[in-house]
Each structure stands twice: as structure tokens, then as C-alpha cells.
Amino acid sequence: MIKVVIIGSGNVAQHLLKVMLNTDEVTIVQVFARSKESISHLIVENQITSTYNDIKEADVYIISVSDNAIAEVASNLPFKNRLVVHTSGTSELSVLDNKNRKGVFYPLQTFSKSKAINFSTIPICLETENESDYAILETLANLISKKAYAISSKQRKSLHVAAVFVCNFVNHLYQIGNEICNENKVPFEILQPLIIETANKITQLSPKEAQTGPALRNDTKTIEKHMDFLQESNYKELYKLLTQSIQNV
């Protein structure tokens, strides 16, 4: 049985809390949240604290707060020589306070509070300063996911940058596509099978092999028609940049 304290109440913290509450081999000892109301719908109030000195003893303390707040939270913890980890994709191990043993427990996924998610498919990137602490985190990760990876701070930063390209930027392109559809009274749902097939295709092919479209074919007439169609200058510039990027590859 692994005893866990979760520090934070945002998207990642809430999803971790949900999956760990439903895992027999994990005991949620406590949740630290500045606002008890933000997490009280998931756990009983007597297991929530907003006072650092009231934090109880556990095997692992998971700091799941904004990147800017990690160092402050870690320095405010009133104990020493315990395993304290953060869930950030960009913050290094060194951001944690030296008084405790350091680690990273980074689930690489996009989280929304209102959207349920299958945690067993989520890659969890792990990093610690020593092997014994890594073994604890690996055990914890394997209890909630089928995919745990030893990833250094530098590797994790590269993963996070890559994730911005394949997730955040791609979703922004979905938004643009949605707006173009709305402006022309076309249901966006018509594009959804294409979106799903494009995502599924790269599980069997490399993204380079899966690339299609007028930019790859150097179909200049179609590209010119698209450029003429786009009235929004930002969309026109983005279309041009992405077309050039595909052709450069």
C-alpha cells in the first residue's frame, strides 16, 4: 500500500485524485488545497487541509500546481527527507527544495476537469535522484497506468515542447477550422472522421509518411485558391507558413 498526499486542486491534481481513490493499493492520506471548496466534491472535507503544518505523513507527496508555484510550495513543506515530486512537464528536478528527496511524476496528457479519461493509457514520465525512490514512483505509476518511462529533465522538456506542437497547436487549428465552417454554415462534425483518421494513422505510420494534401503535392493552383478564399490575414499567414514548412520537409 502506497500512501499519497496530493498538493493542489487543479486539472491534473483532480484527475490523479480520482484514479488513485479508485486504486486499492493506493491510499489518499490527504489533499492540500488553498480552497477546500475546489476539491470537496471528490473527497471528504476532513481529508482536506489548507495549512502546511497540518500535512500528514505519507510515502509520496505529489505537488500538482502551476509551474510558477512549485518552488514556493516545496519550500513551505514543514518536513525533511520525504519523497516530494512535481507533475510539471517543463520544470526541472532542481526546482524542488533540497530538504526533501526529489522526484517527478509527470502524466503526459491533456486534462480537462469535465472530461473523464482512461488513465491506464497515459504515459507517466518518472525521474528521481536515487534508485529506491524511483522504485516507489514506478510502483505507483504501474498501479494507475500501463506506461511508465524513465525520463530526464532535459528529455521531459523536449517532450513538453513536442506536446505543444502535437496537442495545443493542433487544437488551435481545429478551432480555426471550426470558425471557417461556422462562417460558411457548414457543420464542423463533417470534419471529425477526418480528424480521427489522421490521428489514428500515425499509430501505424510515421507523421512524415502520413502527410498528405496540396502542400505535399505542390498543388499550386489549389494553394492559390485557398489563399484567395482566406480573408482573415492571420489565417492566411498561418496557411502560408505551414504550407512552406511542409514543402521544406
Side-chain angles (χ1 to χ4, degrees):
M1 186 71 68
I2 298 179
K3 298 178 180 178
V4 175
V5 168
I6 294 177
I7 301 172
S9 58
N11 285 347
V12 178
Q14 291 199 20
H15 279 279
L16 284 172
L17 177 59
K18 288 176 186 176
V19 70
M20 290 183 182
L21 283 172
N22 289 310
T23 304
D24 292 338
E25 296 87 350
V26 178
T27 298
I28 297 294
V29 176
Q30 197 177 44
V31 175
F32 176 94
R34 288 192 170 94
S35 170
K36 292 186 178 182
E37 292 75 18
S38 62
I39 203 78
S40 59
H41 62 292
L42 295 177
I43 194 167
V44 294
E45 191 168 334
N46 63 9
Q47 285 184 278
I48 307 171
T49 185
S50 56
T51 304
Y52 283 107
N53 287 331
D54 291 339
I55 295 178
K56 297 179 180 178
E57 186 171 350
D59 299 310
V60 184
Y61 297 81
I62 301 177
I63 298 177
S64 187
V65 298
S66 67
D67 287 8
N68 291 339
I70 294 173
E72 179 186 353
V73 170
S75 66
N76 283 328
L77 296 177
F79 44 73
K80 296 180 180 180
N81 197 33
R82 299 184 191 176
L83 180 53
V84 176
V85 306
H86 67 66
T87 60
S88 167
T90 57
S91 298
E92 297 180 352
L93 200 65
S94 59
V95 74
L96 296 168
D97 197 283
N98 290 328
K99 66 189 175 187
N100 284 298
R101 290 149 32 222
K102 304 175 184 180
V104 176
F105 194 89
Y106 170 51
L108 201 168
Q109 185 54 277
T110 174
F111 294 99
S112 299
K113 288 179 183 177
S114 59
K115 173 87 167 52
I117 197 162
N118 180 6
F119 229 99
S120 67
T121 65
I122 297 176
I124 301 182
C125 303
L126 307 175
E127 183 181 9
T128 60
E129 292 180 308
N130 59 69
E131 290 183 10
S132 59
D133 286 336
Y134 185 88
I136 295 172
L137 291 190
E138 186 176 39
T139 299
L140 180 60
N142 287 333
L143 289 172
I144 63 174
S145 172
K146 297 176 182 177
K147 299 180 179 180
Y149 299 89
I151 301 291
S152 70
S153 289
K154 183 178 180 180
Q155 289 173 319
R156 187 162 24 85
K157 189 175 293 185
S158 70
L159 269 175
H160 197 266
V161 172
V164 169
F165 274 94
V166 304
C167 176
N168 306 134
F169 289 168
V170 169
N171 190 72
H172 181 62
L173 296 179
Y174 293 160
Q175 179 189 338
I176 292 173
N178 191 34
E179 289 176 1
I180 292 170
C181 285
N182 289 340
E183 289 168 3
N184 292 275
K185 296 181 172 55
V186 177
F188 180 68
E189 66 185 37
I190 293 175
L191 291 174
Q192 290 174 356
L194 174 64
I195 292 169
I196 292 168
E197 173 59 20
T198 302
N200 286 339
K201 198 190 311 187
I202 61 166
T203 65
Q204 300 176 33
L205 302 173
S206 72
K208 186 175 182 179
E209 292 172 321
Q211 186 69 57
T212 61
L216 181 73
R217 297 190 300 269
N218 196 29
D219 185 351
T220 55
K221 289 185 178 180
T222 298
I223 293 169
E224 288 172 3
K225 288 178 181 179
H226 288 175
M227 292 290 286
D228 290 340
F229 174 84
L230 292 169
Q231 300 301 308
E232 170 63 51
S233 60
N234 288 335
Y235 295 173
K236 192 185 289 282
E237 183 63 22
L238 188 56
Y239 185 100
K240 181 179 178 181
L241 287 172
L242 289 174
T243 296
Q244 289 174 345
S245 182
I246 292 170
Q247 291 177 337
N248 289 339
V249 170

